[in-house]
Amino acid sequence: MQLGIAGLPRAGKTTVFNALAKARVQVGTFSSAQTEPNRAVVKVPDPRVDTLAAMFKPKSIKPAEVQFVDVAGVASGAGLEGSAAILAHLRTVDALLIVAAAYEDPTTEQVCADLTSIQDEFTLADLDVIERRLDRLDREVRMARGTDVERQVKARELELLRRLKQGLDDGTPARALGLGADDEKLLRGYALLTAKPAMGIVNIGDDPRAGERLVADLKARGCLQSIEAQAIAGRLEMELAELDPDEAKEFMEAMGVSQLSAGSVIDASYRLLDLISFLTAGADEVRAWTIRRGATAVDAAGVIHSDLARGFIRAEVVTYEDLVDANSFAEARKRGKLRSEGKTYVVQDGDVLNILFNV
Ligand SMILES: Nc1nc2c(ncn2[C@@H]2O[C@H](COP(=O)(O)OP(=O)(O)OP(=O)(O)O)[C@@H](O)[C@H]2O)c(=O)[nH]1
Ligand SMILES: [Mg+2]
């Protein structure tokens, strides 16, 4: 999963990136000339992986991973050409973390204006994509070439794009239009920015309580529209991320910070993207895998390896809790907790899977 960090210039994106990913990219260097994003992979904190690792003592332990992508600032009114490279990077990520500066001027008006103006840039960029496609599609539909089925698909796409355009013209992002799964599939190739799940990150100064008030205020004023938001003391957390764990703990207690934000941002991203984790465990490896909620046992097999999906026979499934209670697969089986499931079984968060397959 890739999470893109977006925002106006100097919002504190790189600072937040360093805080979330424990990275050490220089901040304040005004990176807008830099076209390549900063990238960092972070292991998803998951106590279940640690517990299973203690149980199985495997050769390797692999938590799920998230990649943070920190791009240069999108200047308000820079025009689509000025921001094209940055927006192109953002189109490839799975979800957007929209950073707004509140460390210098933490008024609700200012933060609201910043959050709005970056989202306006996304709206304009999406409108540009849609209008161009609409022109062509409109002509194609009128010429009525191709088979019946092809014409029907094009007519549906045309209708969908008109609805999107109307929405965007009215300031409604694609994600708030209540699109169905079929529509989303049709739109996948467009990689619309306003269709991506998004979360506001309010980059506050060093007082965590001020952040909560600010986020509540933004919500009350209807500034967040279709996204949720979280406050992060960016610079403070960046500095904490540079310390060794014991030192960091001491500082956190002194500053009244109960938890670093990386965990809660990743949790929120899983929620936004409707992702769950399943686990595999054995003497070789304990590993967490990420999958969409609603995915089946054969989908899960495919995430592990395409051979497992192709030769899928069945999945042995035990919940994480039952496995920990039983303390081994053999005991879980004896207790009747190890179920045998077919291809269409819907995987649940925390399922521990063993896929049986033909080679
Ligand atoms: N006091 C304070 N300063 C901050 C905070 N976050 C960022 N800054 C400062 O704001 C400036 C810009 O921070 P960056 O993290 O580089 O901002 P950015 O959004 O990545 O900037 P561009 O990539 O150039 O658009 C730096 O001088 C930071 O030290 C904060 O929470 N508190
Ligand atoms: Mg930066």
Side-chain angles (χ1 to χ4, degrees):
M1 170 169 54
Q2 289 194 0
L3 302 176
I5 301 179
L8 300 178
R10 300 184 78 74
K13 299 176 296 298
T14 302
T15 302
V16 166
F17 170 81
N18 284 341
L20 295 177
K22 292 192 193 290
R24 296 196 176 193
V25 173
Q26 195 176 357
V27 300
T29 46
F30 212 74
S31 61
S32 300
Q34 175 189 345
T35 49
E36 270 316 295
N38 301 309
R39 295 174 186 274
V41 171
V42 171
K43 295 188 183 334
V44 176
D46 187 342
R48 297 172 299 190
V49 173
D50 305 332
T51 305
L52 291 180
M55 230 172 101
F56 285 88
K57 304 191 174 50
K59 289 191 204 105
S60 87
I61 303 167
K62 291 195 179 140
E65 289 180 340
V66 166
Q67 188 180 60
F68 289 100
V69 182
D70 169 41
V71 298
V74 176
S76 174
L80 293 174
E81 256 160 53
S83 311
I86 304 167
L87 295 174
H89 285 299
L90 291 176
R91 286 192 192 287
T92 66
V93 303
D94 299 297
L96 297 168
L97 306 178
I98 301 176
V99 178
Y103 56 89
E104 268 169 359
D105 181 14
T107 61
T108 312
E109 289 76 14
Q110 184 55 51
V111 176
C112 187
D114 285 1
L115 281 172
T116 306
S117 75
I118 178 82
Q119 295 192 80
D120 286 349
E121 297 301 314
F122 295 159
T123 300
L124 288 175
D126 282 357
L127 269 173
D128 181 60
V129 170
I130 287 171
E131 279 165 0
R132 258 191 275 176
R133 176 72 184 143
L134 262 177
D135 276 352
R136 245 202 354 254
L137 203 57
D138 203 23
R139 245 176 296 142
E140 287 175 20
V141 167
R142 269 185 286 130
M143 285 195 286
R145 273 209 222 111
T147 65
D148 276 0
V149 175
E150 282 166 357
R151 294 210 311 262
Q152 270 167 22
V153 171
K154 280 194 178 149
R156 236 189 70 214
E157 191 175 347
L158 185 63
E159 193 187 327
L160 176 60
L161 292 186
R162 283 188 178 139
R163 198 175 138 212
L164 278 168
K165 178 170 155 45
Q166 183 68 58
L168 291 171
D169 280 338
D170 296 341
T172 310
R175 79 176 76 81
L177 285 175
L179 302 178
D182 282 353
D183 291 341
E184 279 177 11
K185 210 162 143 195
L186 256 181
L187 286 179
R188 204 163 293 156
Y190 295 106
L192 297 177
L193 292 162
T194 68
K196 288 187 192 297
M199 185 172 131
I201 303 273
V202 180
N203 180 26
I204 50 161
D206 296 351
D207 176 10
R209 282 169 312 245
E212 276 167 39
R213 268 202 312 276
L214 194 52
V215 169
D217 255 12
L218 288 167
K219 218 173 267 175
R221 295 205 195 178
C223 187
L224 295 175
Q225 296 171 10
S226 60
I227 63 174
E228 55 177 287
Q230 182 177 335
I232 296 187
R235 195 176 58 176
L236 174 65
E237 290 211 20
M238 177 178 95
E239 285 165 2
L240 288 170
E242 286 172 3
L243 300 176
D244 71 56
D246 285 340
E247 260 182 312
K249 214 169 138 203
E250 225 170 274
F251 266 99
M252 281 164 71
E253 275 163 20
M255 301 292 298
V257 182
S258 57
Q259 235 188 347
L260 293 179
S261 298
S264 62
V265 168
I266 292 172
D267 280 353
S269 310
Y270 269 67
R271 258 198 331 275
L272 284 175
L273 288 161
D274 217 10
L275 298 174
I276 58 169
S277 303
F278 72 90
L279 302 142
T280 52
D284 278 338
E285 183 182 83
V286 164
R287 184 158 177 177
W289 307 81
T290 304
I291 201 167
R292 276 197 176 271
R293 187 184 303 282
T296 61
V298 74
D299 295 332
V303 170
I304 299 172
H305 199 288
S306 55
D307 286 351
L308 269 65
R310 213 174 303 123
F312 186 96
I313 302 170
R314 63 194 161 85
E316 291 179 326
V317 184
V318 56
T319 67
Y320 163 77
E321 286 81 8
D322 283 343
L323 180 58
V324 172
D325 271 352
N327 205 29
S328 73
F329 280 112
E331 179 60 23
R333 189 191 304 278
K334 225 159 71 189
R335 294 182 184 181
K337 299 292 189 188
L338 197 67
R339 289 168 282 131
S340 189
E341 302 281 3
K343 279 186 178 176
T344 57
Y345 168 72
V346 175
V347 175
Q348 305 294 310
D349 187 54
D351 276 351
V352 185
L353 299 188
N354 179 31
I355 308 286
L356 304 178
F357 65 107
N358 278 320
V359 277

